Amino acid sequence: MAFDVQKIRLDFPILQRKVNGYPLVYFDNAATSQKPKIVIDSIVDYYTNYNANIHRGVHSLSQEATDAYENAREKIKNHFNATHAHEIIFTSGTTHSINMVASGFSKLLHKGDEIIVSAMEHHSNIVPWQMLCEKTGAILKVIPMNEDGNLILSEYDTLLSENTKLVFVNHVSNALGTINPIKEIIEKAHKKGAAVLIDGAQATSHFIPDFQELDVDFYVTSAHKMCGPTGVGILYGKSDWLNKLPPYQGGGEMIKEVTFEKTTYADLPHKFEAGTPNIAGGIAFGVAIDYLNLLGFNDIQSYENELLNYATEQLLEIEGLRIYGTSSEKTAVISFNIEGIHPYDIGTIVDKLGVAIRTGHHCTQPIMDFYKIPGTVRASFAFYNTKKEIDSFIEAVKKAKIMLS
Ligand SMILES: *Cc1c(COP(=O)(O)O)cnc(C)c1O
């Protein structure tokens, strides 16, 4: 079946709107994706028809809401091939998930232990580890990258030692699009007895990581980058690890028994889910995953690759334009600069023409420092984008270049 992008676009109400008098060209998908109507409707449906708190009520509405929420957890477990549904912890998103793991490890790490991160991490995957090192006396080490935006794995080999307790790498770089060889990274860490957390926020909208096949210890992602709502995401952890980590927050829902002398914690996943969660968000996340699977990730990925190649070729024809992140393994993200022009100015002008792109350091200042630039212009594509939109974008960039040089 051919990938019918015009038909798919009708699922996304926002794609019909205009910005500054021009049809919206939304190329900021790495920041957040747009939402299909079926996802939006599922949120309205929850609040309209079966809004109730979950897990606590014997009444019918509470049962319905609980079933829908737990059904979403089951869907997510199946989608990523986790072993158990209770290994999927609902969180408010990637940042929250990472902080939960970092906080848990503050009880398990000691002075002199080592944590390895990569040179291309999002700030949300750097700062929590720095805070953890401050707290525990552990040492942070960094896998360097090369000019193409690939991690230098031979350097990783030399950083790994018996002192390594944790390795944190993003599956896909949000600034460069590089798809990191996480299977190899995980295998090597395990040989030294270290645990691995993968930040998949930028990966799960493009392909399906298989948690069991990867043998990953922790994997985190956000619904809003996969056509789901904001404010919900997951922390996947192997049950052995989740049982070992202390709970993150105290409160309702996460306890088995409470007295003033001692509280015993609930079993997984509730141990990590204190308080009332984002119920509608969790349910809608499940709907978003169903939607993406109906389109098919193979088709999504090959179509996005087509868009990536089409845009890359045309951009490279613009004189003075340099693309950052030229790995042969990358998602549909293009970071670039035009010689002598500030990225912010390009972003402002193309917005006037209806084109939404991102400019700046993309929460990855170390990458910008590596290339000795203040920031880049970043265009990131999704399966609902078209070649015609890329033509409008290229034309807008060319116009900006003429106005600014
Ligand atoms: C978006 C993103 C994050 C942060 O996700 P939030 O949903 O804002 O918590 C972390 N890492 C990467 C690679 C991202 O793209």
Side-chain angles (χ1 to χ4, degrees):
M1 194 187 77
F3 200 71
D4 188 349
V5 67
Q6 290 309 333
K7 185 161 165 275
I8 289 165
R9 287 175 68 80
L10 298 175
D11 297 338
F12 292 80
I14 208 169
L15 298 179
Q16 322 304 323
R17 70 162 282 184
K18 291 192 166 178
V19 170
N20 296 323
Y22 291 85
L24 166 67
V25 173
Y26 186 77
F27 285 172
D28 195 16
N29 294 287
T32 198
S33 60
Q34 295 303 346
K35 322 302 171 201
K37 188 161 183 302
I38 193 168
V39 167
I40 301 167
D41 286 349
S42 73
I43 296 169
V44 175
D45 180 42
Y46 166 75
Y47 286 116
T48 309
N49 294 312
Y50 60 104
N51 171 54
N53 211 333
I54 52 170
H55 298 144
R56 304 170 193 185
V58 289
H59 61 80
S60 302
L61 282 193
S62 175
Q63 287 297 333
E64 275 178 43
T66 302
D67 288 350
Y69 193 67
E70 290 307 321
N71 182 31
R73 192 193 308 274
E74 189 71 26
K75 255 182 217 171
I76 294 165
K77 171 235 159 196
N78 291 333
H79 180 73
F80 293 116
N81 193 26
T83 315
H84 306 288
H86 63 242
E87 294 175 318
I88 304 293
I89 311 293
F90 278 115
T91 67
S92 72
T94 301
T95 305
H96 181 206
S97 303
I98 293 170
N99 277 283
M100 283 170 78
V101 177
S103 156
F105 268 91
S106 70
K107 301 284 192 309
L108 304 179
L109 290 185
H110 305 285
K111 199 167 185 300
D113 286 343
E114 293 175 1
I115 302 174
I116 298 178
V117 300
S118 92
M120 59 176 85
E121 295 311 307
H122 191 278
H123 291 166
S124 73
N125 213 0
I126 300 174
V127 183
W129 310 123
Q130 287 171 329
M131 288 162 63
L132 177 60
C133 286
E134 260 170 45
K135 236 188 271 176
T136 60
I139 300 159
L140 195 68
K141 304 218 159 169
V142 182
I143 313 169
M145 58 181 244
N146 64 20
E147 280 288 314
D148 295 338
N150 286 315
L151 293 178
I152 306 174
L153 286 192
S154 56
E155 298 281 337
Y156 174 53
D157 292 338
T158 63
L159 293 177
L160 274 170
S161 78
E162 310 305 326
N163 294 329
T164 312
K165 293 294 179 289
L166 283 165
V167 176
F168 301 95
V169 175
N170 58 31
H171 199 163
V172 172
S173 158
N174 66 302
L176 304 172
T178 311
I179 303 172
N180 288 312
I182 61 163
K183 185 150 171 70
E184 191 180 339
I185 289 170
I186 293 165
E187 270 169 18
K188 286 179 166 167
H190 284 171
K191 282 200 181 117
K192 301 285 179 187
V196 181
L197 165 67
I198 299 295
D199 169 0
Q202 210 56 242
T204 49
S205 54
H206 305 291
F207 49 86
I208 309 174
D210 180 320
F211 293 164
Q212 288 189 65
E213 201 255 332
L214 287 167
D215 195 26
V216 64
D217 302 289
F218 301 98
Y219 195 105
V220 299
T221 194
S222 297
H224 73 91
K225 295 197 175 158
M226 322 175 48
C227 297
T230 55
V232 64
I234 55 156
L235 160 61
Y236 159 80
K238 284 182 185 166
S239 31
D240 281 356
W241 272 114
L242 292 176
N243 283 322
K244 227 180 281 178
L245 294 187
Y248 180 62
Q249 286 181 313
E253 195 73 10
M254 54 75 72
I255 46 84
K256 210 170 244 164
E257 213 174 348
V258 178
T259 66
F260 281 107
E261 287 69 43
K262 186 170 168 52
T263 291
T264 47
Y265 303 126
D267 294 331
L268 295 175
H270 308 294
K271 172 181 158 187
F272 290 102
E273 294 183 349
T276 302
N278 181 351
I279 302 167
I283 294 167
F285 189 7
V287 174
I289 284 182
D290 282 345
Y291 176 79
L292 292 173
N293 279 320
L294 212 63
L295 296 180
F297 273 87
N298 285 339
D299 285 354
I300 287 175
Q301 213 181 357
S302 62
Y303 178 69
E304 287 177 348
N305 269 334
E306 229 177 272
L307 293 179
L308 174 66
N309 294 335
Y310 184 74
T312 303
E313 271 169 33
Q314 293 202 58
L315 279 173
L316 287 175
E317 281 172 15
I318 299 174
E319 217 181 281
L321 187 143
R322 173 173 175 191
I323 292 177
Y324 301 91
T326 49
S327 172
S328 59
E329 296 295 318
K330 65 181 277 192
T331 57
V333 170
I334 307 179
S335 253
F336 66 93
N337 273 328
I338 299 177
E339 213 181 335
I341 302 178
H342 199 280
Y344 178 82
D345 295 335
I346 297 176
T348 309
I349 291 180
V350 303
D351 175 60
K352 296 251 179 339
L353 301 166
V355 179
I357 51 173
R358 192 43 89 93
T359 65
H361 55 61
H362 318 297
C363 295
T364 56
Q365 268 173 4
I367 296 181
M368 303 302 132
D369 292 345
F370 174 83
Y371 288 116
K372 301 190 174 60
I373 50 176
T376 68
V377 181
R378 182 187 69 185
S380 51
F381 312 119
F383 58 84
Y384 44 70
N385 290 131
T386 64
K387 289 187 179 169
K388 190 162 158 270
E389 287 181 308
I390 291 175
D391 293 340
S392 307
F393 157 67
I394 298 284
E395 203 158 301
V397 171
K398 284 180 177 165
K399 258 188 207 160
K401 188 190 172 207
I402 291 168
M403 286 171 72
L404 295 165
S405 41

